[in-house]
Amino acid sequence: YVIGGHHRVEPDGSTPNHSAEWPDVKDTEDIRIALLRNKIPNFAWGRLSKRSLWDDLSFPVGVLVEDMYVTAKLAYKAKKVILTKEPLYYYSNENAGSIMNYGGKKYIRLKYGQFLGWREHEKLALEKAPEYADECARTAGHAAIRAYMLNEGEGELTEEEKQIIYDFLQQHDHLFRKWSMNKARSLILSHNHTLLGFLGSIQRKIVNRQQERRRKRKYQQANQ
């Protein structure tokens, strides 16, 4: 399994080397751990793998951040993993309409997808590297809380999806160290829809402002 670095193509035509920031790891097990913790991003592109590694593996349907379901698993299935930070791939970041650049319901879907992806990493960690299971679960929980709160008043998540978040937070009560995360978790588990709705509306406004500034910046770069 080979992981290559990449340039990111920006709207202004610049091509920064984003893989230069990756950790300097060479050993197969160290690379696996870096992928498990997302220290090396879990992109499916820019990698080469044997076809046989995909046996019993597939991307989930209708889920964002789907790369997190397969990338680390491929590394653990492979006998050897090779990493080069040399850019071998060009990734276009020029599309201002990308899912990564929008707020609203698309952003709720993004956070829910991150929750599911990190939940998969927790499962993998419990099997392969138990010392990192809590870290993966904690990151999953943060994304789950964000998705749930942003969704309050929007109705993007289904009742089944909200129940999945509820069950996860109920089962992981020992993970949330920050007072704010513990408080948000308590609001969700107590079904305090009034306060959740208020906090969710504030968060949506913040996210939408941030994404609007990002879109304007991309537009300005593209027209320089």
Side-chain angles (χ1 to χ4, degrees):
Y1 185 48
V2 180
I3 301 171
H6 69 278
H7 286 293
R8 198 168 80 171
V9 183
E10 300 292 355
D12 62 0
S14 63
T15 56
N17 176 9
H18 276 250
S19 50
E21 304 168 0
W22 294 357
D24 292 316
V25 287
K26 300 295 183 182
D27 181 76
T28 290
E29 187 59 28
D30 290 339
I31 297 171
R32 288 169 174 163
I33 295 298
L35 285 167
L36 183 69
R37 302 175 69 200
N38 206 40
K39 301 301 181 183
I40 298 172
N42 278 240
F43 305 136
W45 45 263
R47 283 96 202 267
L48 294 173
S49 61
K50 289 185 176 180
R51 173 62 186 87
S52 58
L53 293 178
W54 286 88
D55 291 344
D56 303 320
L57 273 185
S58 62
F59 291 103
V61 178
V63 175
L64 297 180
V65 200
E66 65 274 17
D67 293 2
M68 288 192 74
Y69 277 75
V70 299
T71 307
K73 291 176 183 177
L74 285 169
Y76 274 99
K77 289 184 71 176
K79 291 182 180 179
K80 185 174 181 60
V81 185
I82 298 173
L83 169 72
T84 173
K85 296 199 289 183
E86 180 184 352
L88 303 176
Y89 189 93
Y90 283 83
Y91 175 79
S92 174
N93 194 42
E94 301 163 283
N95 179 16
S98 166
I99 184 69
M100 300 298 291
N101 299 320
Y102 269 79
K105 294 185 176 181
K106 289 184 178 180
Y107 192 76
I108 296 169
R109 280 287 153 204
L110 178 65
K111 300 311 291 185
Y112 186 74
Q114 289 175 346
F115 155 59
L116 295 179
W118 278 105
R119 189 180 64 162
E120 288 298 306
H121 277 222
E122 180 203 11
K123 295 176 184 176
L124 184 61
L126 286 169
E127 179 184 352
K128 302 293 186 179
E131 64 270 31
Y132 296 105
D134 278 359
E135 178 183 326
C136 294
R138 189 177 299 111
T139 309
H142 288 184
I145 288 171
R146 195 80 187 279
Y148 199 104
M149 294 184 71
L150 287 167
N151 179 72
E152 196 70 22
E154 286 289 292
E156 173 63 18
L157 299 179
T158 66
E159 291 301 318
E160 180 181 0
E161 289 169 335
K162 289 192 291 184
Q163 187 63 46
I164 290 172
I165 291 176
Y166 183 95
D167 292 343
F168 183 89
L169 296 179
Q170 193 173 47
Q171 295 161 6
H172 293 77
D173 61 325
H174 63 292
L175 293 178
F176 303 101
R177 299 169 182 169
K178 290 184 178 180
W179 178 88
S180 58
M181 288 294 103
N182 261 321
K183 184 63 176 178
R185 175 181 173 274
S186 297
L187 291 174
I188 292 171
L189 295 182
S190 63
H191 299 289
N192 191 331
H193 297 293
T194 300
L195 191 49
L196 282 170
F198 174 71
L199 295 174
S201 65
I202 294 175
Q203 287 197 14
R204 286 194 298 273
K205 289 177 182 178
I206 293 172
V207 168
N208 288 335
R209 287 194 191 113
Q210 291 172 338
Q211 300 296 348
E212 183 60 32
R213 284 196 295 268
R214 182 179 297 178
R215 287 196 298 272
K216 286 181 178 178
R217 186 164 59 249
K218 282 183 174 291
Y219 179 82
Q220 291 169 354
Q221 289 175 343
N223 289 275
Q224 284 180 350

